[in-house]
Amino acid sequence: MPYSNLPAHAFWKLCRDDGDFLIESIYQPKFALAPGDRVATAGSCFAQNIGRYIRRSDLRLVDVEPAPASMPAEVAMRFGYGLFSARYGNVYTARQLRQLLSDCLSETLREDAFWDRDGQVFDALRPNVEPDGFADLDQARAHRLDHLRRVRSIFKRADVFVFTLGLTETWADRHSGTIYPTAPGVIAGQHDPARHHFINLGFADTLEDMAVALDLMRELAPKLRVILTVSPVPLTATASGQHVLRANTYSKSVLRAVAEELTQMHDHVDYFAAYEIITGLPFGARMYEPNLRNVRAEAVDSVMSVFFGAHPDLAPLQRGAALTSPAPDAEAEAGDDLICEEAMLEAFAPK
Protein backbone atom coordinates (compact mmCIF):
# COMPACT_ATOMS: atom_id res chain seq x y z
CA MET A 1 0.00 0.00 0.00
CA PRO A 2 1.36 3.44 -0.94
CA TYR A 3 0.63 4.87 2.53
CA SER A 4 2.07 2.05 4.62
CA ASN A 5 5.67 3.29 4.67
CA LEU A 6 5.01 7.00 5.17
CA PRO A 7 6.53 8.83 8.15
CA ALA A 8 4.43 9.88 11.12
CA HIS A 9 4.22 13.51 9.99
CA ALA A 10 2.22 12.42 6.93
CA PHE A 11 -0.79 11.48 9.10
CA TRP A 12 -3.05 14.06 10.73
CA LYS A 13 -3.93 11.84 13.69
CA LEU A 14 -0.30 11.14 14.57
CA CYS A 15 0.51 14.83 14.31
CA ARG A 16 -2.53 15.69 16.42
CA ASP A 17 -1.49 13.20 19.10
CA ASP A 18 1.87 14.92 19.46
CA GLY A 19 1.98 17.94 21.76
CA ASP A 20 3.78 20.05 19.13
CA PHE A 21 1.97 18.54 16.13
CA LEU A 22 5.33 17.07 14.96
CA ILE A 23 6.04 20.58 13.75
CA GLU A 24 9.80 20.00 13.67
CA SER A 25 9.19 17.88 10.54
CA ILE A 26 7.32 20.56 8.58
CA TYR A 27 10.51 21.99 7.04
CA GLN A 28 12.88 19.63 5.28
CA PRO A 29 15.32 21.90 3.46
CA LYS A 30 16.05 21.34 -0.18
CA PHE A 31 19.54 22.77 0.35
CA ALA A 32 21.60 23.17 3.51
CA LEU A 33 22.73 26.42 5.06
CA ALA A 34 26.19 26.56 6.62
CA PRO A 35 27.91 28.91 9.07
CA GLY A 36 29.11 32.01 7.26
CA ASP A 37 26.51 31.84 4.48
CA ARG A 38 25.51 35.37 3.50
CA VAL A 39 21.73 35.84 3.65
CA ALA A 40 19.75 38.77 2.24
CA THR A 41 16.14 39.51 3.19
CA ALA A 42 13.18 41.37 1.71
CA GLY A 43 9.42 41.21 1.90
CA SER A 44 6.47 42.27 3.99
CA CYS A 45 6.68 43.56 7.54
CA PHE A 46 6.76 40.03 9.03
CA ALA A 47 10.04 39.47 7.17
CA GLN A 48 11.69 41.99 9.48
CA ASN A 49 11.72 39.23 12.11
CA ILE A 50 13.94 37.03 9.94
CA GLY A 51 16.76 39.56 9.85
CA ARG A 52 16.71 39.86 13.64
CA TYR A 53 17.39 36.19 14.12
CA ILE A 54 19.96 35.96 11.34
CA ARG A 55 21.96 38.77 12.97
CA ARG A 56 22.34 36.61 16.07
CA SER A 57 23.07 33.34 14.30
CA ASP A 58 26.22 32.06 12.64
CA LEU A 59 24.81 33.12 9.31
CA ARG A 60 25.75 36.60 8.03
CA LEU A 61 23.06 39.11 7.20
CA VAL A 62 23.79 41.16 4.08
CA ASP A 63 23.19 44.85 4.80
CA VAL A 64 24.16 47.23 2.00
CA GLU A 65 22.64 50.34 3.62
CA PRO A 66 23.68 50.22 7.28
CA ALA A 67 22.77 53.01 9.67
CA PRO A 68 25.38 55.65 10.50
CA ALA A 69 27.36 54.52 13.54
CA SER A 70 26.25 57.47 15.67
CA MET A 71 22.52 57.10 14.90
CA PRO A 72 20.39 55.91 17.87
CA ALA A 73 18.67 52.56 17.30
CA GLU A 74 15.15 53.97 17.52
CA VAL A 75 15.96 56.66 14.94
CA ALA A 76 17.62 54.10 12.64
CA MET A 77 14.49 51.95 12.71
CA ARG A 78 12.26 54.94 11.96
CA PHE A 79 14.38 55.70 8.89
CA GLY A 80 14.31 52.14 7.59
CA TYR A 81 17.81 51.05 8.56
CA GLY A 82 18.41 47.46 9.62
CA LEU A 83 14.93 46.21 8.76
CA PHE A 84 16.05 44.39 5.62
CA SER A 85 19.21 44.06 3.53
CA ALA A 86 18.59 47.50 2.01
CA ARG A 87 16.37 50.46 2.77
CA TYR A 88 13.62 49.42 0.37
CA GLY A 89 11.05 49.28 3.16
CA ASN A 90 8.38 46.62 2.93
CA VAL A 91 8.15 44.84 -0.42
CA TYR A 92 4.63 43.45 -0.15
CA THR A 93 3.92 41.90 -3.56
CA ALA A 94 5.74 39.85 -6.16
CA ARG A 95 5.15 42.65 -8.65
CA GLN A 96 6.79 45.18 -6.36
CA LEU A 97 9.83 42.90 -6.09
CA ARG A 98 9.93 42.44 -9.86
CA GLN A 99 9.74 46.22 -10.36
CA LEU A 100 12.54 46.85 -7.85
CA LEU A 101 14.88 44.34 -9.47
CA SER A 102 14.12 45.62 -12.96
CA ASP A 103 14.73 49.20 -11.89
CA CYS A 104 18.05 48.40 -10.21
CA LEU A 105 19.27 46.56 -13.31
CA SER A 106 18.39 49.47 -15.60
CA GLU A 107 18.86 52.26 -13.00
CA THR A 108 15.39 53.49 -13.85
CA LEU A 109 13.99 56.49 -11.99
CA ARG A 110 10.21 56.52 -12.33
CA GLU A 111 8.98 60.10 -12.57
CA ASP A 112 5.53 59.12 -11.27
CA ALA A 113 7.13 57.75 -8.11
CA PHE A 114 7.82 60.99 -6.28
CA TRP A 115 5.08 62.46 -4.11
CA ASP A 116 4.63 65.76 -2.29
CA ARG A 117 3.52 66.48 1.27
CA ASP A 118 3.77 69.82 3.03
CA GLY A 119 6.45 71.06 0.63
CA GLN A 120 8.62 67.95 1.00
CA VAL A 121 9.26 65.29 -1.65
CA PHE A 122 8.80 61.57 -0.89
CA ASP A 123 10.08 58.52 -2.74
CA ALA A 124 6.71 56.86 -3.41
CA LEU A 125 8.34 53.44 -3.81
CA ARG A 126 9.62 53.53 -0.21
CA PRO A 127 7.72 56.43 1.35
CA ASN A 128 8.26 55.38 4.95
CA VAL A 129 12.07 55.19 4.98
CA GLU A 130 12.43 58.98 4.90
CA PRO A 131 9.51 59.93 7.16
CA ASP A 132 10.24 63.65 6.86
CA GLY A 133 10.74 63.54 3.10
CA PHE A 134 13.44 65.22 0.99
CA ALA A 135 14.02 68.93 0.50
CA ASP A 136 13.50 68.80 -3.26
CA LEU A 137 13.12 66.48 -6.24
CA ASP A 138 16.82 66.46 -7.12
CA GLN A 139 17.69 65.21 -3.64
CA ALA A 140 15.00 62.54 -3.79
CA ARG A 141 16.18 61.37 -7.21
CA ALA A 142 19.82 61.20 -6.08
CA HIS A 143 18.90 59.13 -3.04
CA ARG A 144 16.75 56.81 -5.14
CA LEU A 145 19.55 56.20 -7.64
CA ASP A 146 22.02 55.48 -4.87
CA HIS A 147 19.52 53.07 -3.33
CA LEU A 148 19.06 51.17 -6.60
CA ARG A 149 22.82 50.74 -6.97
CA ARG A 150 23.04 49.41 -3.43
CA VAL A 151 20.20 46.96 -4.06
CA ARG A 152 22.07 45.65 -7.06
CA SER A 153 25.15 45.14 -4.89
CA ILE A 154 23.20 42.75 -2.66
CA PHE A 155 23.53 40.09 -5.32
CA LYS A 156 27.31 40.40 -5.43
CA ARG A 157 27.37 39.43 -1.76
CA ALA A 158 24.45 37.14 -1.01
CA ASP A 159 24.47 33.34 -1.13
CA VAL A 160 20.80 33.10 -0.15
CA PHE A 161 17.87 35.48 -0.65
CA VAL A 162 14.86 35.12 1.67
CA PHE A 163 11.66 36.74 0.38
CA THR A 164 8.40 36.91 2.31
CA LEU A 165 5.30 37.25 0.17
CA GLY A 166 2.80 39.44 1.98
CA LEU A 167 -0.05 40.72 -0.20
CA THR A 168 -1.80 40.39 -3.54
CA GLU A 169 -3.65 43.73 -3.20
CA THR A 170 -1.78 46.79 -4.38
CA TRP A 171 -2.13 50.19 -6.05
CA ALA A 172 -0.74 51.22 -9.42
CA ASP A 173 -0.45 54.13 -11.83
CA ARG A 174 -2.90 53.53 -14.68
CA HIS A 175 -0.56 54.93 -17.34
CA SER A 176 2.88 53.62 -16.41
CA GLY A 177 1.96 50.54 -14.39
CA THR A 178 4.18 51.67 -11.50
CA ILE A 179 3.33 49.71 -8.35
CA TYR A 180 3.25 51.47 -4.99
CA PRO A 181 3.72 49.84 -1.57
CA THR A 182 0.83 51.88 -0.18
CA ALA A 183 -2.07 53.80 -1.63
CA PRO A 184 -1.40 57.40 -2.67
CA GLY A 185 -2.49 59.73 0.11
CA VAL A 186 -1.82 57.39 3.05
CA ILE A 187 1.71 58.70 3.71
CA ALA A 188 2.16 61.34 1.01
CA GLY A 189 0.81 62.32 -2.38
CA GLN A 190 -2.85 62.46 -3.32
CA HIS A 191 -5.17 59.73 -4.50
CA ASP A 192 -6.44 60.51 -8.01
CA PRO A 193 -9.07 57.98 -9.21
CA ALA A 194 -8.34 58.95 -12.80
CA ARG A 195 -4.71 58.02 -12.37
CA HIS A 196 -4.42 55.49 -9.56
CA HIS A 197 -6.22 52.17 -9.48
CA PHE A 198 -6.52 49.16 -7.21
CA ILE A 199 -5.20 45.77 -8.36
CA ASN A 200 -5.69 42.37 -6.78
CA LEU A 201 -3.06 40.14 -8.34
CA GLY A 202 -4.22 36.59 -9.03
CA PHE A 203 -2.33 33.32 -9.20
CA ALA A 204 -1.20 33.66 -12.83
CA ASP A 205 -0.04 37.26 -12.31
CA THR A 206 1.81 36.47 -9.11
CA LEU A 207 3.43 33.36 -10.53
CA GLU A 208 4.65 35.30 -13.58
CA ASP A 209 5.93 38.19 -11.46
CA MET A 210 7.85 35.88 -9.13
CA ALA A 211 9.22 33.86 -12.06
CA VAL A 212 10.56 37.04 -13.68
CA ALA A 213 11.96 38.22 -10.33
CA LEU A 214 13.77 34.90 -9.90
CA ASP A 215 15.22 35.21 -13.40
CA LEU A 216 16.43 38.74 -12.67
CA MET A 217 18.06 37.62 -9.43
CA ARG A 218 19.83 34.74 -11.16
CA GLU A 219 20.99 37.15 -13.87
CA LEU A 220 22.67 39.15 -11.13
CA ALA A 221 23.84 36.11 -9.13
CA PRO A 222 23.82 32.81 -11.08
CA LYS A 223 24.46 30.68 -7.98
CA LEU A 224 21.93 32.41 -5.72
CA ARG A 225 19.58 30.21 -3.70
CA VAL A 226 16.14 31.52 -2.75
CA ILE A 227 13.90 30.73 0.22
CA LEU A 228 10.28 31.85 -0.04
CA THR A 229 7.93 32.38 2.88
CA VAL A 230 4.38 33.71 3.20
CA SER A 231 3.50 36.26 5.87
CA PRO A 232 1.00 35.07 8.49
CA VAL A 233 -0.03 38.68 9.19
CA PRO A 234 -3.58 39.21 7.88
CA LEU A 235 -4.74 42.17 5.82
CA THR A 236 -5.35 45.35 7.77
CA ALA A 237 -8.04 46.33 5.27
CA THR A 238 -9.17 45.29 1.81
CA ALA A 239 -10.18 47.46 -1.15
CA SER A 240 -11.58 44.42 -2.98
CA GLY A 241 -15.17 44.95 -1.87
CA GLN A 242 -15.13 41.61 -0.04
CA HIS A 243 -15.27 40.83 3.67
CA VAL A 244 -11.72 41.17 4.98
CA LEU A 245 -11.62 37.49 6.08
CA ARG A 246 -12.57 36.31 2.60
CA ALA A 247 -10.10 38.71 1.00
CA ASN A 248 -7.31 37.62 3.33
CA THR A 249 -7.98 33.93 2.65
CA TYR A 250 -7.82 34.53 -1.10
CA SER A 251 -4.63 36.57 -0.89
CA LYS A 252 -2.74 34.11 1.31
CA SER A 253 -3.97 31.15 -0.76
CA VAL A 254 -2.59 32.69 -3.94
CA LEU A 255 0.75 33.47 -2.33
CA ARG A 256 1.06 30.05 -0.75
CA ALA A 257 0.20 28.29 -4.02
CA VAL A 258 2.72 30.37 -5.97
CA ALA A 259 5.45 29.63 -3.44
CA GLU A 260 4.81 25.88 -3.71
CA GLU A 261 4.65 25.97 -7.50
CA LEU A 262 8.01 27.72 -7.78
CA THR A 263 9.55 25.38 -5.25
CA GLN A 264 8.47 22.42 -7.37
CA MET A 265 9.78 24.07 -10.55
CA HIS A 266 13.27 25.12 -9.43
CA ASP A 267 16.07 23.31 -7.62
CA HIS A 268 17.43 26.58 -6.24
CA VAL A 269 14.09 27.70 -4.75
CA ASP A 270 12.75 26.38 -1.43
CA TYR A 271 9.79 27.17 0.82
CA PHE A 272 9.85 27.62 4.58
CA ALA A 273 6.47 27.06 6.24
CA ALA A 274 6.34 30.02 8.64
CA TYR A 275 2.77 30.68 7.51
CA GLU A 276 1.57 27.22 8.50
CA ILE A 277 3.34 27.26 11.86
CA ILE A 278 1.55 30.47 12.83
CA THR A 279 -1.88 30.12 11.19
CA GLY A 280 -2.37 26.35 11.09
CA LEU A 281 -5.52 24.89 12.63
CA PRO A 282 -3.65 23.20 15.50
CA PHE A 283 -2.22 26.54 16.67
CA GLY A 284 -4.86 29.14 15.88
CA ALA A 285 -5.36 32.37 17.76
CA ARG A 286 -2.84 31.60 20.51
CA MET A 287 -0.05 32.56 18.08
CA TYR A 288 -1.42 36.13 17.86
CA GLU A 289 -1.75 39.10 20.15
CA PRO A 290 -5.32 39.96 21.23
CA ASN A 291 -5.81 42.06 18.08
CA LEU A 292 -5.51 38.79 16.06
CA ARG A 293 -3.06 40.49 13.71
CA ASN A 294 0.30 40.96 15.39
CA VAL A 295 2.21 37.70 15.82
CA ARG A 296 3.33 37.02 19.41
CA ALA A 297 7.07 37.13 20.08
CA GLU A 298 6.97 33.55 21.38
CA ALA A 299 5.35 32.42 18.13
CA VAL A 300 8.10 34.03 16.05
CA ASP A 301 10.58 32.28 18.31
CA SER A 302 8.92 28.94 17.53
CA VAL A 303 9.03 29.62 13.80
CA MET A 304 12.72 30.44 13.79
CA SER A 305 13.52 27.47 16.05
CA VAL A 306 12.08 25.19 13.36
CA PHE A 307 14.09 26.98 10.68
CA PHE A 308 17.44 26.77 12.43
CA GLY A 309 16.73 23.28 13.75
CA ALA A 310 16.35 21.99 10.21
CA HIS A 311 19.93 23.01 9.35
CA PRO A 312 22.20 20.83 11.51
CA ASP A 313 25.38 22.70 10.57
CA LEU A 314 24.03 25.87 12.18
CA ALA A 315 24.20 26.51 15.90
CA PRO A 316 20.87 25.83 17.64
CA LEU A 317 18.69 28.87 18.17
CA GLN A 318 18.75 30.26 21.69
CA ARG A 319 15.04 30.72 22.20
CA GLY A 320 14.18 34.28 23.14
CA ALA A 321 17.73 35.54 22.63
CA ALA A 322 16.82 37.58 19.58
CA LEU A 323 14.15 39.37 21.55
CA THR A 324 16.06 40.11 24.74
CA SER A 325 19.56 41.09 23.61
CA PRO A 326 19.26 43.46 20.65
CA ALA A 327 22.28 44.47 18.63
CA PRO A 328 23.20 48.19 18.64
CA ASP A 329 21.47 48.74 15.30
CA ALA A 330 18.61 46.35 15.93
CA GLU A 331 14.95 47.13 15.55
CA ALA A 332 12.36 47.33 18.31
CA GLU A 333 11.61 44.00 19.86
CA ALA A 334 7.86 43.53 19.86
CA GLY A 335 5.75 42.54 16.90
CA ASP A 336 3.70 45.71 17.39
CA ASP A 337 6.83 47.74 16.57
CA LEU A 338 7.44 46.35 13.11
CA ILE A 339 7.48 49.10 10.50
CA CYS A 340 4.41 48.38 8.40
CA GLU A 341 2.81 50.93 6.07
CA GLU A 342 -0.20 48.67 5.54
CA ALA A 343 -1.09 48.90 9.24
CA MET A 344 -1.68 52.64 8.76
CA LEU A 345 -4.91 51.78 6.94
CA GLU A 346 -6.55 51.19 10.34
CA ALA A 347 -6.75 54.97 10.69
CA PHE A 348 -9.30 55.05 7.86
CA ALA A 349 -11.74 52.62 9.51
CA PRO A 350 -15.21 54.02 10.32
CA LYS A 351 -15.46 55.43 13.84
Side-chain angles (χ1 to χ4, degrees), residues 42-302:
S44 71
C45 49
F46 184 78
Q48 295 170 30
N49 291 301
I50 296 173
R52 296 178 179 179
Y53 284 81
I54 290 174
R55 285 185 189 278
R56 294 160 181 84
S57 74
D58 46 10
L59 299 170
R60 289 188 289 166
L61 182 69
V62 175
D63 187 352
V64 298
E65 290 186 273
S70 60
M71 182 176 284
E74 64 275 10
V75 176
M77 181 181 178
R78 181 170 172 255
F79 280 78
Y81 291 102
L83 304 181
F84 303 103
S85 289
R87 291 177 69 215
Y88 23 63
N90 296 304
V91 180
Y92 290 108
T93 65
R95 185 155 299 177
Q96 191 184 347
L97 176 65
R98 174 182 178 174
Q99 175 178 275
L100 174 64
L101 294 169
S102 177
D103 287 355
C104 79
L105 274 165
S106 60
E107 295 192 357
T108 295
L109 295 177
R110 297 170 179 265
E111 297 306 321
D112 55 359
F114 296 100
W115 291 340
D116 295 322
R117 191 189 77 197
D118 300 330
Q120 297 295 104
V121 178
F122 289 75
D123 181 344
L125 303 184
R126 48 181 194 143
N128 218 25
V129 303
E130 287 288 340
D132 300 322
F134 298 99
D136 54 44
L137 182 59
D138 287 343
Q139 187 183 68
R141 286 169 56 89
H143 277 257
R144 178 71 185 168
L145 184 59
D146 177 70
H147 169 67
L148 291 174
R149 290 169 176 167
R150 289 174 184 263
V151 172
R152 182 166 182 161
S153 74
I154 288 173
F155 300 95
K156 296 179 181 178
R157 306 184 188 187
D159 302 304
V160 179
F161 187 82
V162 181
F163 181 65
T164 300
L165 292 148
L167 301 174
T168 57
E169 296 191 10
T170 191
W171 289 83
D173 186 282
R174 292 183 184 276
H175 308 298
S176 67
T178 295
I179 293 291
Y180 304 113
T182 189
V186 173
I187 295 176
Q190 293 183 332
H191 175 63
D192 179 357
R195 181 168 186 177
H196 305 123
H197 70 126
F198 169 77
I199 299 175
N200 198 3
L201 298 161
F203 175 83
D205 291 323
T206 304
L207 181 64
E208 178 184 354
D209 289 335
M210 272 308 306
V212 172
L214 289 171
D215 286 345
L216 293 172
M217 284 189 276
R218 293 282 276 192
E219 181 179 336
L220 290 165
K223 296 182 179 180
L224 185 73
R225 294 167 290 168
V226 177
I227 299 175
L228 300 176
T229 67
V230 172
S231 172
V233 178
L235 294 171
T236 298
T238 177
S240 66
Q242 303 290 348
H243 187 289
V244 69
L245 181 58
R246 175 175 170 178
N248 183 71
T249 301
Y250 172 78
S251 181
K252 302 301 183 180
S253 298
V254 166
L255 301 177
R256 179 63 187 87
V258 166
E260 192 67 35
E261 188 82 0
L262 292 168
T263 299
Q264 297 296 328
M265 290 170 60
H266 300 287
D267 290 339
H268 70 285
V269 179
D270 203 358
Y271 172 73
F272 172 58
Y275 177 77
E276 287 83 349
I277 298 172
I278 299 295
T279 68
L281 177 63
F283 312 109
R286 67 184 174 90
M287 292 295 201
Y288 291 90
E289 298 290 353
N291 66 4
L292 297 182
R293 188 171 189 277
N294 295 104
V295 178
R296 296 177 63 222
E298 295 85 351
V300 178
D301 215 32
S302 296

